[in-house]
Amino acid sequence: DLIKSMGYKCYQLHGSLNEKEKKEQLHLFEESAGKVVMVATTALGVGVDIKGTDTTIHLYGSYSDINFVQES
């Protein structure tokens, strides 16, 4: 709610979403313009490359340097 109150579109991706929900959230995020935030677990960071991503913020440190690179 805080992020939305600041004028950002906000999407989420985590392990509790089913495949349809994950695809929908990714699609909406990729197609959005302007102030957009994706809040995600490490599930998003591995193997997903989204054009136009300016910044990745890690709330907690990665388990290893390799994980950090893959998740960024």
Side-chain angles (χ1 to χ4, degrees):
D1 289 338
L2 173 64
I3 295 170
K4 288 181 180 180
S5 72
M6 296 170 61
Y8 287 85
K9 295 175 190 168
C10 186
Y11 303 102
Q12 60 180 328
L13 189 71
H14 52 80
S16 297
L17 298 176
N18 63 42
E19 283 302 311
K20 181 181 176 186
E21 293 169 322
K22 288 177 186 177
K23 286 180 182 179
E24 180 180 333
Q25 290 292 298
L26 277 172
H27 175 74
L28 291 169
F29 178 72
E30 290 173 324
E31 297 300 316
S32 294
K35 295 165 63 171
V36 183
V37 172
M38 171 66 80
V39 178
T41 62
T42 55
L44 175 66
V46 181
V48 177
D49 184 22
I50 300 173
K51 289 182 180 182
T53 301
D54 295 326
T55 306
T56 302
I57 299 171
H58 295 265
L59 184 58
Y60 300 108
S62 296
Y63 297 113
S64 70
D65 292 343
I66 293 171
N67 285 4
F68 178 80
V69 171
Q70 289 177 335
E71 295 164 6
S72 297

